[in-house]
Amino acid sequence: MRIFDDEWEKLAKAFDVPVEEIREERTAQHNQNTTLNDNASLTDNASINYNQYCNIPEYLLESQYEYIKLLKEQIEILKAENAKSKKR
């Protein structure tokens, strides 16, 4: 997929960086399955929609799921502690 100059400018503006800092020149060997959905306005909320396919080993995903679960549990504990301290 080719990214045109005006798209690079939109991305640079969204990330508040110079175009030269983010622009890459692709080689013929650089093949990536990424789609940029330009229907979203980058100036409104700086959101970019990407459809990217990655091969992430299942054990890495599992460890991240476990970590997320632990963080959610800690958040609930902190919320309860915060509610108790507000009652005092």
Side-chain angles (χ1 to χ4, degrees):
M1 178 182 155
R2 185 179 187 300
I3 300 177
F4 296 97
D5 290 338
D6 62 326
E7 294 168 325
W8 281 115
E9 290 171 14
K10 288 179 187 177
L11 289 168
K13 185 175 181 180
F15 293 115
D16 195 27
V17 296
V19 173
E20 298 78 26
E21 193 170 312
I22 61 170
R23 186 174 191 153
E24 292 180 352
E25 295 298 324
R26 284 190 176 211
T27 63
Q29 297 169 337
H30 197 287
N31 186 11
Q32 188 177 15
N33 190 8
T34 303
T35 304
L36 176 60
N37 180 357
D38 198 28
N39 293 334
S41 172
L42 293 177
T43 56
D44 291 342
N45 59 8
S47 71
I48 302 172
N49 295 322
Y50 287 102
N51 294 323
Q52 188 169 11
Y53 301 96
C54 301
N55 286 329
I56 300 173
E58 191 64 34
Y59 72 91
L60 288 177
L61 290 175
E62 274 303 313
S63 69
Q64 293 303 302
Y65 292 140
E66 290 173 14
Y67 186 57
I68 290 169
K69 181 181 174 186
L70 173 67
L71 291 173
K72 286 180 178 181
E73 290 169 356
Q74 290 176 345
I75 288 170
E76 291 306 314
I77 291 168
L78 291 171
K79 283 181 180 179
E81 289 177 5
N82 191 22
K84 284 181 187 177
S85 68
K86 283 183 179 181
K87 288 181 181 179
R88 293 182 206 173

